[in-house]
Amino acid sequence: MEFRDLKKQYRKNKRKINSAIKKVLKEGVFIGGSPVQELEDKLAEYVGVKYCITCANGTDALTLVLMAWGIGPGDAVFVPDFTFFATAEAPAFLGATPVFVDVDKDTFNMDPNSLEQAINEVNKEGHLKSKVVIPVDLFGLPADYDRIVPIAKKYNLFVLEDAAQGFGGSLRNHKAGSFGDASITSFFPVKPLGCYGDGGAIFTEDDNLMEIITSLKTHGSNNNDKYDNIRIGMNSRLDTIQAEILKVKLDIFKDYELNQIIKNTVTIKSKLSSIYKFQMIPDKYISSYAQLSIILQSLHERENFIRFLKAKNIPTYIYYKKPLSTLIAMNQRSINMKNKVTHHISERIVSIPIGSYLKSKEIKKIISTLILFKRNEN
Ligand SMILES: *Cc1c(COP(=O)(O)O)cnc(C)c1O
């Protein structure tokens, strides 16, 4: 069994994907061109925002937004302690200070109470200026924007939604990618909408921000004249081949994959949620299931669980083994609250195979193996 079956995804959609790639080879335009613009229009429409700006990857997308807002040394950027490294790496790379906020024990997303407490501590301490909060839509589930956005407003912070894993998820019909003053996603192959290499995008309603980011991603050029550079930027583009692939894959995602992954997850959870604690998806939320994660009772039980599944050829992964605040790279450059929930979760969490292309035989095997594990344990 594959953890995420990209080979099967390709086999099922081979004809469409091959012809998309061939089209680019025939046209001979490999950077920019109309496919990139067409993809950006399609993505903006799907997410329901005015602008989509593609770039080279999700990490660049985070960095570009923070650069456009002028974030740097002396600024505090509030990030969840339980996420992929890039969420905190982007502000640290620009010299700002990541402040690690604890997460909710059920949704594993940024805890609004913990956020407000962290803001108050930073403001009271007085060394840093509180500037940005980066909520993460972890494992496909949008963060608690109903509570986080008002807190950000109250303290005058920008909201940068990290929807690298959240694409396709929603809250009351609003799609992930639409909750921040700016939002980002990643097209890394195993993300909900993946390409065949690296890729990323930024979403915003803000005309001015769109202009600055468009300039920053092309060496800080004047947007009317490529060789009239008006700021220091970077080179961050989505390749034309990836844009054509994503145009095809976005349609497949909309028409089939998102519904199918939700169905597969419902089947698995309906048989297992009485004996396992899954990431909670609250009312009015839809997850796009970048991961299907469960919490075991202890570090020890997790070790046994992983070994048991491996023996039955079911792969597992641990996202994430360590709170970001404990990583060596973050020594001295971050502010670390006592994030008890993050520590608890990172010792017990494990992700099991999920995808739109799981066979019903594979789903049955996952269910029966997980039931068997609990029986053997007790
Ligand atoms: C994958 C990921 C990123 C970075 O995306 P890349 O395209 O790999 O640079 C950022 N944030 C989160 C939460 C991610 O999962």
Side-chain angles (χ1 to χ4, degrees):
M1 195 182 303
E2 304 266 346
F3 189 70
R4 193 91 170 188
D5 202 342
L6 294 180
K7 280 183 271 187
K8 187 157 178 217
Q9 183 193 47
Y10 173 63
R11 276 202 310 278
K12 291 262 167 187
N13 301 290
K14 195 168 177 171
R15 206 179 40 79
K16 286 183 192 159
I17 287 166
N18 284 1
S19 77
I21 294 171
K22 270 191 199 145
K23 193 171 135 198
V24 179
L25 297 177
K26 239 170 45 196
E27 305 254 319
V29 175
F30 299 105
I31 296 290
S34 57
V36 177
Q37 185 63 55
E38 285 158 21
L39 174 70
E40 290 176 340
D41 294 346
K42 274 173 86 114
L43 286 167
E45 193 197 336
Y46 178 75
V47 169
V49 295
K50 197 163 170 193
Y51 300 114
C52 168
I53 309 146
T54 54
C55 62
N57 56 66
T59 308
D60 278 8
L62 289 167
T63 308
L64 283 162
V65 174
L66 295 171
M67 279 172 87
W69 285 336
I71 302 305
D75 295 335
V77 177
F78 299 86
V79 299
D81 204 358
F82 190 64
T83 172
F84 179 60
F85 188 63
T87 312
E89 184 181 30
F93 181 74
L94 294 172
T97 304
V99 180
F100 290 111
V101 173
D102 212 357
V103 296
D104 181 83
K105 68 180 186 4
D106 298 315
T107 65
F108 315 154
N109 273 334
M110 180 181 270
D111 173 21
N113 294 330
S114 184
L115 170 64
E116 187 156 21
Q117 202 181 329
I119 297 169
N120 280 320
E121 284 186 37
V122 167
N123 290 352
K124 205 169 80 193
E125 227 260 329
H127 287 314
L128 298 169
K129 286 200 191 102
S130 296
K131 285 281 182 67
V132 182
V133 54
I134 313 183
V136 174
D137 302 337
L138 199 74
F139 306 146
L141 175 69
D144 188 352
Y145 296 102
D146 285 343
R147 293 179 63 204
I148 289 173
V149 171
I151 293 170
K153 288 237 168 70
K154 178 172 163 191
Y155 295 94
N156 215 2
L157 310 185
F158 287 115
V159 178
L160 170 49
E161 176 189 2
D162 182 344
Q165 302 174 14
F167 191 86
S170 57
L171 162 55
R172 271 185 268 99
N173 294 326
H174 295 282
K175 289 241 162 57
S178 70
F179 297 110
D181 297 298
S183 306
I184 70 97
T185 198
S186 163
F187 305 122
F188 185 78
V190 297
K191 305 281 164 133
L193 177 65
C195 63
Y196 290 156
D198 275 309
I202 296 144
F203 300 97
T204 186
E205 296 277 323
D206 181 335
D207 303 330
N208 187 43
L209 188 66
M210 191 277 285
E211 290 255 331
I212 298 172
I213 290 171
T214 305
S215 163
L216 284 172
K217 65 168 259 194
T218 42
H219 303 286
S221 68
N222 171 343
N223 289 339
N224 301 315
D225 180 353
K226 198 172 158 187
Y227 299 101
D228 183 15
N229 307 74
I230 55 175
R231 42 174 82 82
I232 299 299
M234 40 205 272
N235 170 21
S236 188
R237 299 180 285 231
L238 182 76
D239 292 348
T240 315
I241 285 190
Q242 302 301 346
E244 279 294 3
I245 292 167
L246 282 166
K247 275 167 59 191
V248 170
K249 289 191 70 178
L250 176 59
D251 286 339
I252 299 166
F253 181 82
K254 281 194 292 200
D255 297 343
Y256 174 73
E257 288 179 352
L258 181 58
N259 288 334
Q260 192 58 42
I261 203 167
I262 291 169
K263 263 190 218 160
N264 291 349
T265 310
V266 167
T267 308
I268 292 174
K269 287 209 281 192
S270 70
K271 300 282 194 241
L272 294 175
S273 58
S274 61
I275 47 175
Y276 287 94
K277 179 177 159 65
F278 285 85
Q279 179 186 26
M280 186 176 89
I281 313 298
D283 283 352
K284 305 194 180 78
Y285 283 81
I286 291 174
S287 174
S288 56
Y289 290 104
Q291 300 296 340
L292 182 56
S293 300
I294 54 183
I295 297 279
L296 293 163
Q297 315 230 358
S298 64
L299 190 66
H300 178 68
E301 191 189 30
R302 180 170 72 182
E303 283 167 4
N304 291 340
F305 179 87
I306 291 171
R307 205 176 311 120
F308 190 83
L309 266 64
K310 195 173 174 198
K312 312 254 179 217
N313 257 320
I314 302 176
T316 55
Y317 269 94
I318 299 175
Y319 302 107
Y320 296 95
K321 221 176 245 185
K322 288 182 173 173
L324 294 189
S325 57
T326 66
L327 296 173
I328 289 170
M330 287 297 160
N331 270 353
Q332 315 290 329
R333 27 169 105 248
S334 59
I335 295 184
N336 184 6
M337 304 290 153
K338 285 194 190 64
N339 297 328
K340 275 199 200 136
V341 179
T342 299
H343 281 262
H344 182 94
I345 292 174
S346 54
E347 284 181 6
R348 292 165 179 80
I349 198 158
V350 68
S351 299
I352 60 175
I354 191 65
S356 314
Y357 298 91
L358 277 177
K359 294 190 203 108
S360 54
K361 219 172 73 187
E362 292 173 315
I363 293 174
K364 280 190 189 129
K365 183 173 172 181
I366 291 170
I367 293 168
S368 63
T369 307
L370 265 68
I371 291 174
L372 194 61
F373 173 75
K374 279 288 181 188
R375 270 201 203 130
N376 286 4
E377 271 233 314
N378 300 322

PDB file of all heavy atoms in Angstrom, residues 57-60 62 83-84 86-87 136 162 164-165 184 186-188 191 198-199 320, ligand 1:
ATOM      1  N   ASN A  57       7.285  28.004  -4.914  1.00  0.00           N
ATOM      2  CA  ASN A  57       6.930  27.024  -3.882  1.00  0.00           C
ATOM      3  C   ASN A  57       6.198  27.727  -2.736  1.00  0.00           C
ATOM      4  O   ASN A  57       6.140  28.963  -2.699  1.00  0.00           O
ATOM      5  CB  ASN A  57       8.181  26.282  -3.362  1.00  0.00           C
ATOM      6  CG  ASN A  57       9.232  27.234  -2.837  1.00  0.00           C
ATOM      7  OD1 ASN A  57       9.022  27.913  -1.840  1.00  0.00           O
ATOM      8  ND2 ASN A  57      10.363  27.320  -3.528  1.00  0.00           N
ATOM      9  N   GLY A  58       5.700  26.960  -1.800  1.00  0.00           N
ATOM     10  CA  GLY A  58       4.935  27.522  -0.683  1.00  0.00           C
ATOM     11  C   GLY A  58       5.789  28.352   0.268  1.00  0.00           C
ATOM     12  O   GLY A  58       5.317  29.338   0.833  1.00  0.00           O
ATOM     13  N   THR A  59       7.046  27.949   0.423  1.00  0.00           N
ATOM     14  CA  THR A  59       7.929  28.696   1.329  1.00  0.00           C
ATOM     15  C   THR A  59       8.202  30.087   0.764  1.00  0.00           C
ATOM     16  O   THR A  59       8.147  31.086   1.495  1.00  0.00           O
ATOM     17  CB  THR A  59       9.256  27.918   1.511  1.00  0.00           C
ATOM     18  OG1 THR A  59       8.946  26.571   1.891  1.00  0.00           O
ATOM     19  CG2 THR A  59      10.135  28.555   2.569  1.00  0.00           C
ATOM     20  N   ASP A  60       8.463  30.167  -0.533  1.00  0.00           N
ATOM     21  CA  ASP A  60       8.624  31.476  -1.180  1.00  0.00           C
ATOM     22  C   ASP A  60       7.348  32.299  -1.048  1.00  0.00           C
ATOM     23  O   ASP A  60       7.402  33.519  -0.842  1.00  0.00           O
ATOM     24  CB  ASP A  60       8.916  31.322  -2.684  1.00  0.00           C
ATOM     25  CG  ASP A  60      10.375  31.029  -2.971  1.00  0.00           C
ATOM     26  OD1 ASP A  60      11.133  30.786  -2.017  1.00  0.00           O
ATOM     27  OD2 ASP A  60      10.754  31.050  -4.163  1.00  0.00           O
ATOM     28  N   LEU A  62       5.151  32.332   1.344  1.00  0.00           N
ATOM     29  CA  LEU A  62       5.131  32.942   2.686  1.00  0.00           C
ATOM     30  C   LEU A  62       6.111  34.104   2.755  1.00  0.00           C
ATOM     31  O   LEU A  62       5.784  35.193   3.247  1.00  0.00           O
ATOM     32  CB  LEU A  62       5.524  31.899   3.749  1.00  0.00           C
ATOM     33  CG  LEU A  62       4.530  30.782   4.075  1.00  0.00           C
ATOM     34  CD1 LEU A  62       5.217  29.678   4.889  1.00  0.00           C
ATOM     35  CD2 LEU A  62       3.325  31.323   4.846  1.00  0.00           C
ATOM     36  N   THR A  83       3.441  22.561  13.340  1.00  0.00           N
ATOM     37  CA  THR A  83       3.260  22.738  11.895  1.00  0.00           C
ATOM     38  C   THR A  83       4.550  22.342  11.202  1.00  0.00           C
ATOM     39  O   THR A  83       5.530  21.966  11.856  1.00  0.00           O
ATOM     40  CB  THR A  83       2.892  24.194  11.539  1.00  0.00           C
ATOM     41  OG1 THR A  83       2.905  24.375  10.108  1.00  0.00           O
ATOM     42  CG2 THR A  83       3.882  25.192  12.116  1.00  0.00           C
ATOM     43  N   PHE A  84       4.564  22.443   9.871  1.00  0.00           N
ATOM     44  CA  PHE A  84       5.797  22.229   9.124  1.00  0.00           C
ATOM     45  C   PHE A  84       6.728  23.423   9.327  1.00  0.00           C
ATOM     46  O   PHE A  84       6.283  24.562   9.464  1.00  0.00           O
ATOM     47  CB  PHE A  84       5.471  22.033   7.631  1.00  0.00           C
ATOM     48  CG  PHE A  84       6.687  21.823   6.783  1.00  0.00           C
ATOM     49  CD1 PHE A  84       7.536  20.755   7.022  1.00  0.00           C
ATOM     50  CD2 PHE A  84       6.996  22.702   5.755  1.00  0.00           C
ATOM     51  CE1 PHE A  84       8.676  20.575   6.248  1.00  0.00           C
ATOM     52  CE2 PHE A  84       8.130  22.519   4.973  1.00  0.00           C
ATOM     53  CZ  PHE A  84       8.978  21.450   5.231  1.00  0.00           C
ATOM     54  N   ALA A  86       8.535  25.358   7.558  1.00  0.00           N
ATOM     55  CA  ALA A  86       8.524  26.542   6.695  1.00  0.00           C
ATOM     56  C   ALA A  86       7.681  27.689   7.256  1.00  0.00           C
ATOM     57  O   ALA A  86       7.988  28.863   7.029  1.00  0.00           O
ATOM     58  CB  ALA A  86       8.023  26.180   5.300  1.00  0.00           C
ATOM     59  N   THR A  87       6.619  27.365   7.997  1.00  0.00           N
ATOM     60  CA  THR A  87       5.746  28.403   8.557  1.00  0.00           C
ATOM     61  C   THR A  87       6.546  29.368   9.439  1.00  0.00           C
ATOM     62  O   THR A  87       6.324  30.576   9.421  1.00  0.00           O
ATOM     63  CB  THR A  87       4.610  27.764   9.394  1.00  0.00           C
ATOM     64  OG1 THR A  87       4.016  26.708   8.659  1.00  0.00           O
ATOM     65  CG2 THR A  87       3.554  28.788   9.768  1.00  0.00           C
ATOM     66  N   VAL A 136      -2.235  28.138  10.467  1.00  0.00           N
ATOM     67  CA  VAL A 136      -2.007  27.061   9.495  1.00  0.00           C
ATOM     68  C   VAL A 136      -3.271  26.203   9.406  1.00  0.00           C
ATOM     69  O   VAL A 136      -3.894  25.904  10.423  1.00  0.00           O
ATOM     70  CB  VAL A 136      -0.806  26.193   9.939  1.00  0.00           C
ATOM     71  CG1 VAL A 136      -0.636  24.981   9.027  1.00  0.00           C
ATOM     72  CG2 VAL A 136       0.468  27.029   9.969  1.00  0.00           C
ATOM     73  N   ASP A 162      -1.662  30.204   6.147  1.00  0.00           N
ATOM     74  CA  ASP A 162      -0.829  29.171   5.540  1.00  0.00           C
ATOM     75  C   ASP A 162      -1.722  27.989   5.163  1.00  0.00           C
ATOM     76  O   ASP A 162      -1.999  27.109   5.976  1.00  0.00           O
ATOM     77  CB  ASP A 162       0.281  28.748   6.505  1.00  0.00           C
ATOM     78  CG  ASP A 162       1.225  27.704   5.898  1.00  0.00           C
ATOM     79  OD1 ASP A 162       0.859  27.100   4.870  1.00  0.00           O
ATOM     80  OD2 ASP A 162       2.320  27.497   6.466  1.00  0.00           O
ATOM     81  N   ALA A 164      -0.994  25.810   2.826  1.00  0.00           N
ATOM     82  CA  ALA A 164      -0.178  24.860   2.048  1.00  0.00           C
ATOM     83  C   ALA A 164      -0.821  23.477   2.061  1.00  0.00           C
ATOM     84  O   ALA A 164      -0.799  22.758   1.072  1.00  0.00           O
ATOM     85  CB  ALA A 164       1.240  24.793   2.609  1.00  0.00           C
ATOM     86  N   GLN A 165      -1.422  23.124   3.217  1.00  0.00           N
ATOM     87  CA  GLN A 165      -2.102  21.828   3.322  1.00  0.00           C
ATOM     88  C   GLN A 165      -3.615  21.978   3.204  1.00  0.00           C
ATOM     89  O   GLN A 165      -4.344  20.993   3.188  1.00  0.00           O
ATOM     90  CB  GLN A 165      -1.783  21.171   4.681  1.00  0.00           C
ATOM     91  CG  GLN A 165      -0.306  20.964   4.919  1.00  0.00           C
ATOM     92  CD  GLN A 165       0.011  20.442   6.311  1.00  0.00           C
ATOM     93  OE1 GLN A 165      -0.866  19.994   7.041  1.00  0.00           O
ATOM     94  NE2 GLN A 165       1.281  20.492   6.689  1.00  0.00           N
ATOM     95  N   ILE A 184      -1.568  31.687   1.412  1.00  0.00           N
ATOM     96  CA  ILE A 184      -0.659  30.998   0.485  1.00  0.00           C
ATOM     97  C   ILE A 184      -1.037  29.524   0.379  1.00  0.00           C
ATOM     98  O   ILE A 184      -1.681  28.971   1.264  1.00  0.00           O
ATOM     99  CB  ILE A 184       0.826  31.112   0.918  1.00  0.00           C
ATOM    100  CG1 ILE A 184       1.121  30.280   2.185  1.00  0.00           C
ATOM    101  CG2 ILE A 184       1.222  32.564   1.154  1.00  0.00           C
ATOM    102  CD1 ILE A 184       1.717  28.915   1.928  1.00  0.00           C
ATOM    103  N   SER A 186       0.704  25.587  -1.406  1.00  0.00           N
ATOM    104  CA  SER A 186       1.844  24.896  -1.999  1.00  0.00           C
ATOM    105  C   SER A 186       1.329  23.830  -2.947  1.00  0.00           C
ATOM    106  O   SER A 186       0.309  23.196  -2.679  1.00  0.00           O
ATOM    107  CB  SER A 186       2.667  24.237  -0.884  1.00  0.00           C
ATOM    108  OG  SER A 186       3.545  23.258  -1.431  1.00  0.00           O
ATOM    109  N   PHE A 187       2.053  23.651  -4.053  1.00  0.00           N
ATOM    110  CA  PHE A 187       1.704  22.578  -5.000  1.00  0.00           C
ATOM    111  C   PHE A 187       2.727  21.448  -4.963  1.00  0.00           C
ATOM    112  O   PHE A 187       2.862  20.682  -5.922  1.00  0.00           O
ATOM    113  CB  PHE A 187       1.578  23.142  -6.426  1.00  0.00           C
ATOM    114  CG  PHE A 187       0.608  24.275  -6.536  1.00  0.00           C
ATOM    115  CD1 PHE A 187       1.019  25.516  -7.015  1.00  0.00           C
ATOM    116  CD2 PHE A 187      -0.719  24.122  -6.153  1.00  0.00           C
ATOM    117  CE1 PHE A 187       0.132  26.588  -7.108  1.00  0.00           C
ATOM    118  CE2 PHE A 187      -1.621  25.183  -6.234  1.00  0.00           C
ATOM    119  CZ  PHE A 187      -1.186  26.415  -6.720  1.00  0.00           C
ATOM    120  N   PHE A 188       3.470  21.346  -3.865  1.00  0.00           N
ATOM    121  CA  PHE A 188       4.341  20.195  -3.630  1.00  0.00           C
ATOM    122  C   PHE A 188       3.527  18.931  -3.907  1.00  0.00           C
ATOM    123  O   PHE A 188       2.339  18.884  -3.586  1.00  0.00           O
ATOM    124  CB  PHE A 188       4.828  20.260  -2.172  1.00  0.00           C
ATOM    125  CG  PHE A 188       5.823  19.208  -1.802  1.00  0.00           C
ATOM    126  CD1 PHE A 188       7.151  19.327  -2.188  1.00  0.00           C
ATOM    127  CD2 PHE A 188       5.438  18.095  -1.060  1.00  0.00           C
ATOM    128  CE1 PHE A 188       8.077  18.351  -1.838  1.00  0.00           C
ATOM    129  CE2 PHE A 188       6.359  17.122  -0.704  1.00  0.00           C
ATOM    130  CZ  PHE A 188       7.675  17.245  -1.093  1.00  0.00           C
ATOM    131  N   LYS A 191       0.708  17.535  -1.586  1.00  0.00           N
ATOM    132  CA  LYS A 191      -0.304  18.434  -0.995  1.00  0.00           C
ATOM    133  C   LYS A 191      -1.645  18.161  -1.677  1.00  0.00           C
ATOM    134  O   LYS A 191      -1.687  17.520  -2.733  1.00  0.00           O
ATOM    135  CB  LYS A 191       0.111  19.891  -1.189  1.00  0.00           C
ATOM    136  CG  LYS A 191       1.497  20.229  -0.655  1.00  0.00           C
ATOM    137  CD  LYS A 191       1.534  20.426   0.853  1.00  0.00           C
ATOM    138  CE  LYS A 191       2.968  20.368   1.334  1.00  0.00           C
ATOM    139  NZ  LYS A 191       3.390  21.397   2.222  1.00  0.00           N
ATOM    140  N   ASP A 198       7.959  21.475  -7.844  1.00  0.00           N
ATOM    141  CA  ASP A 198       7.630  22.494  -6.849  1.00  0.00           C
ATOM    142  C   ASP A 198       6.729  23.562  -7.444  1.00  0.00           C
ATOM    143  O   ASP A 198       6.800  23.847  -8.643  1.00  0.00           O
ATOM    144  CB  ASP A 198       8.917  23.158  -6.344  1.00  0.00           C
ATOM    145  CG  ASP A 198       9.566  22.388  -5.207  1.00  0.00           C
ATOM    146  OD1 ASP A 198       8.845  22.084  -4.230  1.00  0.00           O
ATOM    147  OD2 ASP A 198      10.767  22.093  -5.294  1.00  0.00           O
ATOM    148  N   GLY A 199       5.910  24.150  -6.591  1.00  0.00           N
ATOM    149  CA  GLY A 199       5.060  25.256  -7.020  1.00  0.00           C
ATOM    150  C   GLY A 199       4.346  25.843  -5.816  1.00  0.00           C
ATOM    151  O   GLY A 199       4.222  25.182  -4.779  1.00  0.00           O
ATOM    152  N   TYR A 320       3.847  15.953  13.431  1.00  0.00           N
ATOM    153  CA  TYR A 320       5.264  16.256  13.417  1.00  0.00           C
ATOM    154  C   TYR A 320       5.834  15.760  14.723  1.00  0.00           C
ATOM    155  O   TYR A 320       5.209  15.932  15.753  1.00  0.00           O
ATOM    156  CB  TYR A 320       5.467  17.770  13.247  1.00  0.00           C
ATOM    157  CG  TYR A 320       4.915  18.219  11.881  1.00  0.00           C
ATOM    158  CD1 TYR A 320       3.621  18.715  11.784  1.00  0.00           C
ATOM    159  CD2 TYR A 320       5.680  18.095  10.726  1.00  0.00           C
ATOM    160  CE1 TYR A 320       3.102  19.087  10.542  1.00  0.00           C
ATOM    161  CE2 TYR A 320       5.158  18.482   9.486  1.00  0.00           C
ATOM    162  CZ  TYR A 320       3.883  18.963   9.407  1.00  0.00           C
ATOM    163  OH  TYR A 320       3.368  19.318   8.199  1.00  0.00           O
TER     164      TYR A 320
HETATM  165  C1  LIG B   1       4.475  22.210   2.629  1.00  0.00           C
HETATM  166  C2  LIG B   1       4.264  23.338   3.548  1.00  0.00           C
HETATM  167  C3  LIG B   1       4.865  24.584   3.348  1.00  0.00           C
HETATM  168  C4  LIG B   1       5.913  24.848   2.305  1.00  0.00           C
HETATM  169  O1  LIG B   1       5.560  24.523   1.022  1.00  0.00           O
HETATM  170  P1  LIG B   1       6.724  24.187  -0.061  1.00  0.00           P
HETATM  171  O2  LIG B   1       6.016  24.260  -1.361  1.00  0.00           O
HETATM  172  O3  LIG B   1       7.219  22.813   0.264  1.00  0.00           O
HETATM  173  O4  LIG B   1       7.782  25.205   0.080  1.00  0.00           O
HETATM  174  C5  LIG B   1       4.547  25.622   4.214  1.00  0.00           C
HETATM  175  N1  LIG B   1       3.688  25.440   5.227  1.00  0.00           N
HETATM  176  C6  LIG B   1       3.111  24.236   5.484  1.00  0.00           C
HETATM  177  C7  LIG B   1       2.145  24.119   6.616  1.00  0.00           C
HETATM  178  C8  LIG B   1       3.386  23.143   4.655  1.00  0.00           C
HETATM  179  O5  LIG B   1       2.810  21.964   4.922  1.00  0.00           O
END
